[in-house]
Amino acid sequence: MKTRLLSSFRRFAREDRGAVLVEFALVMPFMILVFALSIEAARMLWSYQSAITGVREASRYVARSVPGNICSTGGSLNAMSAQLKTMVERSIDGEILFPSAVTVNTVVPGLTCVDGNYRSGTVSIATVTANVTIDFPLRGILDMFGGGLGGVTTDIADQARIFGQ
């Protein structure tokens, strides 16, 4: 009985059928992790680039829609916050640009008046700053590997010279 058990064990140790399956089972979690991280990185970069484009378009809109003499008249851009937030979040057709994991928290317009020896005297510069939070939708897969990732919150700003209407 003992020799029979020993010979069975030796035969089992020499046998290599199923080794590929075991190797795949060991490597598969890392493959899933790399795949999930690749998708997350690509989605995050796309969302960030879309937010940059929205802020750039909002600052261009401000530069063309407010009067060119806003600095000399003492005007303000604060009333445009809601309209600019809509411009950053939505396309021209009114469609939401970002996936549900991306949130535009605030959009704040700013006005800077630069005095100097320019042809027009004082130069008006509009600044649009958006605070954006990007969450990770594949957080559940990444949590399996012990890396609980939270969202990323960042400010995106762009400036444009105000030329007026």
Side-chain angles (χ1 to χ4, degrees):
M1 176 82 164
K2 186 176 180 182
T3 57
R4 190 170 167 211
L5 185 61
L6 191 58
S7 79
S8 295
F9 181 71
R10 284 184 187 148
R11 192 172 10 133
F12 177 74
R14 283 190 307 256
E15 196 63 46
D16 62 354
R17 288 184 300 168
V20 173
L21 184 62
V22 171
E23 290 171 1
F24 179 73
L26 292 173
V27 173
M28 188 179 72
F30 297 109
M31 290 173 44
I32 291 173
L33 178 65
V34 169
F35 179 71
L37 288 176
S38 299
I39 288 178
E40 284 297 315
R43 196 190 62 76
M44 181 181 286
L45 288 174
W46 173 76
S47 298
Y48 186 72
Q49 186 61 40
S50 296
I52 288 173
T53 303
V55 170
R56 184 178 306 126
E57 292 301 318
S59 67
R60 288 179 182 173
Y61 172 76
V62 171
R64 296 291 183 186
S65 65
V66 299
N69 62 351
I70 191 169
C71 284
S72 60
T73 60
S76 173
L77 303 176
N78 294 334
M80 299 181 79
S81 292
Q83 182 182 10
L84 294 176
K85 184 176 182 196
T86 302
M87 287 181 73
V88 171
E89 290 177 331
R90 298 181 181 271
S91 70
I92 197 165
D93 300 329
E95 301 289 325
I96 295 176
L97 290 175
F98 305 113
S100 61
V102 178
T103 307
V104 178
N105 302 320
T106 59
V107 176
V108 179
L111 176 65
T112 305
C113 300
V114 180
D115 293 325
N117 294 329
Y118 302 106
R119 282 183 254 166
S120 61
T122 303
V123 175
S124 309
I125 298 174
T127 303
V128 177
T129 304
N131 183 279
V132 179
T133 300
I134 302 172
D135 290 325
F136 298 104
L138 297 179
R139 184 183 300 169
I141 293 174
L142 298 175
D143 284 343
M144 289 189 320
F145 297 98
L149 296 173
V152 175
T153 301
T154 186
D155 288 330
I156 301 169
D158 192 48
Q159 293 181 334
R161 181 170 184 244
I162 297 177
F163 291 103
Q165 300 170 341

